[in-house]
Amino acid sequence: MDIAQVAKHSGVPASTLRFYEEKGLIRSVGRQGIRRVFTADVLEQLALIALGRAAGFSLDEIASMLGSKGKPNIDKELLLQKATELDNTINNLIAMRDGLRHAAVCSAPSHMQCPKFRRLLGLAALGTIRRKTKAKPSKKCFKNKVS
């Protein structure tokens, strides 16, 4: 398949395919005129890349899991570490959601007088809850989890 066909079938733009090839995530097998040509296996590799990105893996981590010749060589320990990171993120998001829901219906005269909202502010100030982070949340997060 040429690069245009791969882009069409995978939904991945040609520029991204070229970038992935430059990073060693996929390999073309030659050229047809000026267009790169790939084997049909590239679609499965792109699906693995998409899954890895959705799970929060870096491109370097994904490259190491794709192994040589595009055959998956998945490090189970790395999967467990990522699963733990996702658990931490989920717990932080649940705490955030619950705190926001409480603040929306709290009977305190102002949000700043609501103990649960103040606790949520404290977690944010400590950096325990953030939008996207590679850092692992502190254990304090779970001790002070907003409920």
Side-chain angles (χ1 to χ4, degrees):
M1 288 191 289
D2 72 26
I3 194 166
Q5 293 169 316
V6 173
K8 181 180 177 184
H9 289 295
S10 68
V12 176
S15 59
T16 302
L17 295 172
R18 288 188 291 274
F19 176 73
Y20 285 171
E21 185 177 20
E22 185 180 304
K23 294 282 283 179
L25 295 165
I26 60 174
R27 292 190 183 124
S28 61
V29 292
R31 292 191 179 264
Q32 188 176 45
I34 60 169
R35 292 184 176 196
R36 290 171 170 87
V37 176
F38 297 89
T39 64
D41 293 350
V42 75
L43 296 176
E44 186 174 88
Q45 292 168 334
L46 291 169
L48 285 169
I49 293 167
L51 179 62
R53 296 297 286 162
F57 288 101
S58 70
L59 289 179
D60 289 337
E61 289 170 325
I62 293 168
S64 72
M65 287 190 278
L66 287 176
S68 63
K69 300 179 183 176
K71 299 294 179 196
N73 181 20
I74 299 172
D75 179 349
K76 291 181 181 184
E77 185 60 36
L78 186 58
L79 294 180
L80 290 173
Q81 289 172 7
K82 186 57 70 177
T84 299
E85 285 178 32
L86 289 172
D87 283 339
N88 293 338
T89 298
I90 289 166
N91 288 333
N92 286 337
L93 290 171
I94 288 169
M96 175 66 76
R97 179 204 62 202
D98 292 348
L100 293 174
R101 282 190 175 149
H102 173 80
V105 297
C106 183
S107 61
S110 84
H111 290 90
M112 298 310 285
Q113 293 173 333
C114 171
K116 288 185 179 184
F117 187 76
R118 300 285 303 175
R119 206 167 36 233
L120 191 61
L121 285 176
L123 292 172
L126 290 171
T128 304
I129 53 176
R130 345 186 149 141
R131 184 159 176 121
K132 278 192 175 183
T133 180
K134 290 276 185 182
K136 293 181 182 175
S138 70
K139 290 183 182 178
K140 277 185 175 180
C141 167
F142 303 108
K143 291 179 185 170
N144 296 331
K145 182 179 171 188
V146 178
S147 54

